[in-house]
Amino acid sequence: MKQSFFLLLISLFSLSLRSQTPKSYSSAEILQEMKKLPVFGSVLYIAAHPDDENTRLLAYLANEKRYRTGYLSLTRGDGGQNLIGDDQGIDLGLIRTQELLAARRIDGAEQFFSRAYDFGFSKSPEEALRIWEHDKILADVVWVIRKFRPDVIITRFPTTGEGGHGHHTASAILAGEAFDAAADSTKFPDQLKQGVSIWQAKRLLWNTFNFGSANTTREDQFKIDCGVYNPILGKSYGEIAAESRSQHKSQGFGVPAQRGSAFEYFATIKGVRPVSDLMDGVDISSTRLNFKTTGDQVAFDSLVKNMIARYDPAMPQNSIAALQQLEKKLPYNSVFSNKISRQIDQLIIECSGIFMEAVASQQLNAIGDSMRVNLVLNNRSGVNVTAAQVALAGSTYIFKNVNPDENISFPVTIKLDESTAVSQPYWLEHNLNGGAFGVDDLRKIGWPESPAMTAGFQVWINGSQYVAYRPVQYKYTDPVKGEIYEPIQIIHPVFVNTSPSLLIFSNNKKGELKDFEYTIQSNINLNSPASFSNNFGKKQTIIFDSVVNYKKGDQRTINIRLNGDSFPTNSVTMLGGDFVAKPLKDHQYFSLKKISYDHIPDVFYNYYDQAKIIKMDLKTSGTHAGYIAGAGDKVPDALVQMGYTVTMLNEKDCTPQNLRQFDVIVTGVRAYNIHSWLGNAYNALMQYVSDGGVLFVQYNTNNQSGPVKAKISPYPFDISRNRVTDETAKVNFLLPDHPALNFPNKITAQDFDNWIQERSTYHAEAVDPNYKKILSMKDPGESEQDGSLIIADYGKGRFVYSGLVFFRELPAGVPGAYRLFANLIANKRP
């Protein structure tokens, strides 16, 4: 059975989760996994976002109770904020996906996702379910339940809104509906043709909470002490949870370790209320293996018990024989049999101490080229390996004479022909479909990430065959960090990039010229007829049609001078290039985005690189801007496109004499949350304003995860959590004659058209009378909010605090946002 299964997979990309360093189990971790063998319970935790999960509870369930434990996050957190860089949207979702996987590697749970896109903060579940298309995401939750088959389902949030976010409440609503729908054969019947069957969980619980002023726990609720200590792992679950939760670094969720008793509370939503145990009424014993006789079951249980009792942490390989005997006792007549067989096989491999890896010589490997891979095996503990081989890309390589603690390697070369798939996160293979990612293969739904190219190692230990899959990775040595593993990427033969990504032309400037360039990069040796065309809106212009002779790595830059007169007044035009070469598939012109942070593996995705050309009525007043970077945004690029010369400022630059050169100083998002040195710069900044400068402060937070670290303004105000999430909300002009709405651009209601995701966040409140409130707006069903934009004159200059989300709107090329921003940073008045 194993042989046929192996042959089925060796030429495919199998699902192997990527990690920076290959996992190697310690003796303690092997014992911990052994103790899971006789436990057959499972729990699925459901919430809306990365960081919503209760890591202490997940760690406790997976390691103390030893249940198979999973977390289903409906979204990947794409619409959140970012404390470590300027990544937004799908880029941020890719980062947070990897942060969740890092957390799961620590707490021992599994990770799943639906297709739902995080479109930003939502104040109602109705909005969330409408944008996500209710039935689509409900089907995803049902699919994950039918595949995972949890005995107990737990939600982080209630259906009644105490979670404070429309996505949170929607996740609870969908969990409740899916609890019933997963057991109903009339619901999503097409799923039942894909290898799953209906499934009825025993109960649905809400993990109640005590968050600040929202205490939903009660002593009459079922409760569990999840703060206990695990001597095998050497940590309490509060300590494990802190390490797991601190992986959410983009959200600033580093937390201290907790020790001591810590109760989790549960309200029963559906099913039978637990009384003494979470699994009341659920048989979690080996009975679920459907042994033919009671004697067979007793023998199995006895083998497990004796194996654990006799386990020698100094010689884990001595347990291999017992594990092999245990596997022979399995009755292959239940869904649990395959699960436990895989667990036993994994334990045998880990007990053996055999090292296996597949390492590519390059991280980026192009279709049309070849990839060199080194396949390595080392029988470190000297177990009885009678044979070994490895399969990769349809070929099998035999390791001869597997001697103890001897490195055996096969350097192989793989041809990446046209049949090779380009690496791409599966949920980005198609455009967003409304509020959900376009995934056309039902079987992929729930996967945390795309499959990696995998080498299938076969080893025969004591005469029995075992298969271990290892992702092909790129390995290098950093002089500071040491040995680093990163995922490989199968890339397109040619990249086409544009620069800049945004150009702004003025309606009022005739003959305005701006430079634009394409960069064509060949990732293979290419000697062929080829053509390159410029897609200018709906027009296509051939730039060249000739024979090219590119060497691998060659770059050709094509410079174009654009004339603003070529673009219609008040227009937005997309500009991109198409490269076609005869030996390649048509339109191999995608660009490659790399996201790299130390705490996650490198992440890549392909995209069609287009520039946005905006022609609008935009006037500015000022030419030099100083910028104090915050948590990360792309506003400096926008300032450059507006015609400003931008200088990035740090602490040593913030002296009264140096600041005088700037017409405006802008602080990035959350700058006062991350730079305590701004307290030292306060007097210089206030002197700058008093002498006639403009200080524009983008939003900051003032809470536990993001406290203000420095004094901000000449007059006091507080920062609230108020926001307006409806990007189409009507904006009222409270002071229509104020210069902010009139100079140098006349602002009208049309300037708030086509904003994305939201209007504003973290409004000012309790403001000093010296401030002027310029705008008001509201979300549906709420009262007007007037703290999104406050302005105060101070000396000869001006201070501005804005919660308006310019950090989203300017990179997105929203014309009205540019016009309003230009007014707010204008240095002169009419």
Side-chain angles (χ1 to χ4, degrees):
M1 182 180 68
K2 291 182 184 176
Q3 179 70 31
S4 62
F5 179 68
F6 176 76
L7 292 174
L8 176 66
L9 291 179
I10 57 176
S11 62
L12 303 177
F13 292 157
S14 66
L15 184 58
S16 177
L17 301 187
R18 299 169 175 175
S19 62
Q20 285 170 292
T21 303
K23 172 68 175 174
S24 180
Y25 284 76
S26 67
S27 284
E29 290 171 315
I30 289 173
L31 178 58
Q32 178 70 20
E33 293 303 307
M34 282 184 176
K35 286 176 170 286
K36 294 181 180 181
L37 288 175
V39 181
F40 293 86
S42 57
V43 179
L44 182 64
Y45 201 86
I46 299 178
H49 309 108
D51 74 37
D52 284 347
E53 78 275 23
N54 183 336
T55 53
R56 180 171 55 205
L57 178 60
L58 292 180
Y60 173 85
L61 294 173
N63 297 285
E64 185 68 22
K65 302 302 290 183
R66 307 183 191 107
Y67 303 143
R68 186 187 179 199
T69 305
Y71 174 46
L72 170 58
S73 175
L74 295 190
T75 77
R76 296 175 183 268
D78 323 83
Q81 294 161 5
N82 185 359
L83 291 186
I84 61 173
D86 60 12
D87 316 271
Q88 297 178 25
I90 61 173
D91 292 32
L92 181 57
L94 288 161
I95 292 170
R96 297 184 73 182
T97 293
Q98 292 300 325
E99 290 176 340
L100 265 182
L101 289 172
R104 297 295 80 80
R105 287 191 287 271
I106 292 167
D107 59 40
E110 301 173 47
Q111 185 61 53
F112 306 99
F113 292 96
S114 81
R115 288 173 288 179
Y117 177 71
D118 180 356
F119 57 84
F121 192 89
S122 174
K123 293 183 178 178
S124 75
E126 292 80 13
E127 179 190 45
L129 294 173
R130 172 178 53 81
I131 292 175
W132 289 341
E133 298 179 49
H134 172 279
D135 286 0
K136 181 181 294 184
I137 307 306
L138 174 60
D140 291 358
V141 181
V142 169
W143 171 256
V144 172
I145 290 173
R146 285 172 172 172
K147 285 192 70 178
F148 188 79
R149 300 167 70 86
D151 297 306
V152 176
I153 300 173
I154 303 174
T155 67
R156 168 80 282 191
F157 302 105
T159 60
T160 46
E162 291 91 337
H165 191 315
H167 295 179
H168 294 168
T169 306
S171 73
I173 292 170
L174 290 170
E177 294 175 353
F179 178 85
D180 296 322
D184 186 344
S185 61
T186 67
K187 302 295 185 183
F188 311 109
D190 287 348
Q191 295 181 1
L192 304 178
K193 303 173 184 177
Q194 297 294 329
V196 300
S197 59
I198 60 172
W199 180 255
Q200 179 63 72
K202 186 70 174 181
R203 57 181 57 91
L204 172 67
L205 306 176
W206 163 35
N207 179 200
T208 59
F209 49 76
N210 185 359
F211 297 156
S213 60
N215 185 359
T216 61
T217 65
R218 297 197 313 266
E219 285 305 315
D220 63 347
Q221 294 171 348
F222 177 71
K223 63 181 181 180
I224 303 172
D225 184 0
C226 296
V228 297
Y229 174 71
N230 186 320
I232 297 175
L233 301 180
K235 297 176 183 178
S236 71
Y237 295 110
E239 293 170 306
I240 295 172
E243 187 179 349
S244 174
R245 188 157 188 78
S246 295
Q247 301 309 303
H248 296 296
K249 300 183 189 303
S250 67
Q251 305 305 295
F253 272 13
V255 295
Q258 295 181 348
R259 299 166 187 88
S261 179
F263 282 91
E264 295 294 339
Y265 292 78
F266 303 87
T268 303
I269 306 302
K270 293 187 177 185
V272 181
R273 183 183 187 275
V275 176
S276 60
D277 190 89
L278 194 70
M279 291 290 174
D280 278 351
V282 178
D283 186 352
I284 63 170
S285 74
S286 61
T287 302
R288 297 178 98 167
L289 290 173
N290 294 331
F291 288 97
K292 290 182 178 179
T293 69
T294 302
D296 289 344
Q297 181 183 349
V298 171
F300 177 88
D301 291 341
S302 179
L303 279 172
V304 174
K305 182 178 179 180
N306 291 334
M307 178 184 65
I308 292 172
R310 296 170 181 170
Y311 177 72
D312 181 355
M315 301 287 287
Q317 64 269 31
N318 289 350
S319 295
I320 291 176
L323 286 163
Q324 290 178 323
Q325 186 180 5
L326 187 66
E327 189 162 27
K328 291 176 182 177
K329 295 290 185 181
L330 284 177
Y332 287 96
N333 58 1
S334 77
V335 293
F336 293 98
S337 297
N338 290 331
K339 169 184 171 291
I340 196 133
S341 179
R342 290 193 298 269
Q343 286 180 270
I344 292 172
D345 286 356
Q346 175 69 22
L347 278 167
I348 290 171
I349 292 293
E350 296 304 331
C351 286
S352 75
I354 297 173
F355 177 81
M356 295 165 275
E357 74 171 10
V359 175
S361 61
Q362 297 183 111
Q363 187 172 24
L364 303 182
N365 301 274
I367 292 175
D369 200 0
S370 58
M371 178 172 68
R372 295 192 302 276
V373 179
N374 196 34
L375 304 167
V376 179
L377 183 142
N378 186 312
N379 183 9
R380 293 178 294 184
S381 67
V383 297
N384 180 28
V385 176
T386 55
Q389 63 186 40
V390 58
L392 177 65
S395 297
T396 301
Y397 308 93
I398 298 174
F399 295 103
K400 295 180 180 179
N401 302 320
V402 182
N403 298 316
D405 205 20
E406 179 182 297
N407 288 321
I408 311 173
S409 63
F410 269 111
V412 301
T413 300
I414 301 169
K415 180 66 177 177
L416 302 177
D417 60 23
E418 293 293 331
S419 65
T420 308
V422 171
S423 304
Q424 180 79 335
Y426 73 88
W427 61 98
L428 301 181
E429 291 173 352
H430 306 286
N431 293 331
L432 270 171
N433 184 3
F437 292 107
V439 180
D440 56 10
D441 187 344
L442 172 64
R443 295 168 297 178
K444 295 179 180 178
I445 293 171
W447 287 3
E449 57 182 343
S450 292
M453 178 181 279
T454 303
F457 287 82
Q458 276 182 295
V459 292
W460 280 259
I461 302 174
N462 298 335
S464 296
Q465 173 201 340
Y466 301 95
V467 181
Y469 296 99
R470 297 291 185 263
V472 179
Q473 294 181 291
Y474 170 63
K475 182 173 72 172
Y476 67 98
T477 301
D478 181 275
V480 175
K481 302 172 187 175
E483 191 173 71
I484 303 293
Y485 287 81
E486 294 288 1
I488 64 163
Q489 184 81 4
I490 308 300
I491 61 174
H492 287 286
V494 174
F495 292 156
V496 177
N497 292 303
T498 63
S499 181
S501 60
L502 179 72
L503 280 172
I504 298 174
F505 288 100
S506 173
N507 289 339
N508 308 312
K509 295 180 180 179
K510 298 298 182 184
E512 184 180 10
L513 301 176
K514 293 200 174 187
D515 291 328
F516 176 79
E517 70 177 31
Y518 290 109
T519 301
I520 302 172
Q521 176 179 312
S522 182
N523 300 314
I524 61 174
N525 294 322
L526 183 61
N527 188 344
S528 165
S531 65
F532 183 76
S533 59
N534 182 37
N535 290 331
F536 183 91
K538 295 183 179 181
K539 301 177 182 178
Q540 188 176 66
T541 304
I542 300 295
I543 294 179
F544 69 77
D545 188 353
S546 60
V547 174
V548 298
N549 185 12
Y550 295 154
K551 300 298 183 184
K552 182 177 178 180
D554 281 356
Q555 291 186 345
R556 176 180 175 183
T557 300
I558 299 172
N559 296 299
I560 300 174
R561 178 153 289 181
L562 298 175
N563 189 326
D565 294 347
S566 302
F567 300 90
T569 299
N570 296 324
S571 65
V572 177
T573 304
M574 303 306 295
L575 187 62
D578 286 359
F579 181 89
V580 179
K582 286 188 177 180
L584 309 175
K585 291 180 180 178
D586 288 345
H587 304 298
Q588 298 287 344
Y589 48 74
F590 284 88
S591 185
L592 184 69
K593 177 67 180 286
K594 178 181 180 180
I595 301 170
S596 183
Y597 290 95
D598 284 347
H599 69 294
I600 60 173
D602 290 342
V603 181
F604 299 88
Y605 69 92
N606 304 288
Y607 69 102
Y608 180 39
D609 193 12
Q610 291 180 290
K612 180 175 282 190
I613 314 298
I614 304 172
K615 188 170 183 181
M616 60 178 168
D617 183 10
L618 176 66
K619 305 179 185 70
T620 59
S621 178
T623 57
H624 289 76
Y627 201 88
I628 300 173
D633 61 64
K634 299 177 181 178
V635 173
D637 297 335
L639 283 164
V640 170
Q641 288 305 315
M642 294 169 68
Y644 281 83
T645 299
V646 179
T647 302
M648 303 303 292
L649 304 176
N650 54 36
E651 182 176 7
K652 66 180 178 60
D653 300 318
C654 291
T655 63
Q657 183 176 0
N658 186 56
L659 298 181
R660 289 175 190 152
Q661 65 180 299
F662 300 111
D663 298 305
V664 62
I665 294 173
V666 181
T667 66
V669 298
R670 298 198 185 200
Y672 287 86
N673 295 135
I674 65 172
H675 296 313
S676 57
W677 62 260
L678 279 169
N680 300 329
Y682 175 77
N683 289 334
L685 289 168
M686 291 304 104
Q687 184 64 50
Y688 162 78
V689 176
S690 181
D691 289 345
V694 177
L695 177 59
F696 182 97
V697 176
Q698 296 184 78
Y699 89 87
N700 288 266
T701 64
N702 197 14
N703 53 45
Q704 183 176 357
S705 63
V708 171
K709 296 183 177 180
K711 191 176 180 181
I712 296 177
S713 54
Y715 309 112
F717 67 91
D718 294 335
I719 298 174
S720 73
R721 294 185 63 82
N722 295 335
R723 60 176 71 192
V724 174
T725 64
D726 182 358
E727 67 272 25
T728 67
K730 180 184 177 183
V731 178
N732 300 303
F733 297 172
L734 301 179
L735 298 173
D737 295 329
H738 193 280
L741 299 176
N742 292 277
F743 179 82
N745 303 288
K746 177 67 176 178
I747 303 301
T748 69
Q750 284 69 40
D751 288 303
F752 291 92
D753 290 345
N754 302 314
W755 282 46
I756 65 167
Q757 187 161 321
E758 56 193 341
R759 286 287 194 209
S760 59
T761 188
Y762 298 106
H763 293 179
E765 65 179 5
V767 301
D768 186 273
N770 284 290
Y771 290 103
K772 302 295 184 183
K773 299 178 180 179
I774 309 301
L775 306 173
S776 76
M777 58 195 76
K778 67 176 182 176
D779 277 319
E782 296 186 355
S783 57
E784 289 286 327
Q785 297 188 31
D786 57 10
S788 64
L789 178 60
I790 60 171
I791 300 175
D793 293 328
Y794 183 68
K796 299 178 182 178
R798 187 169 75 256
F799 173 86
V800 182
Y801 175 82
S802 178
L804 296 166
V805 289
F806 290 110
F807 74 100
R808 296 194 193 279
E809 310 308 323
L810 298 180
V814 177
Y818 274 92
R819 287 164 41 81
L820 177 59
F821 187 64
N823 286 13
L824 298 178
I825 65 174
N827 187 261
K828 296 180 176 63
R829 290 303 191 204

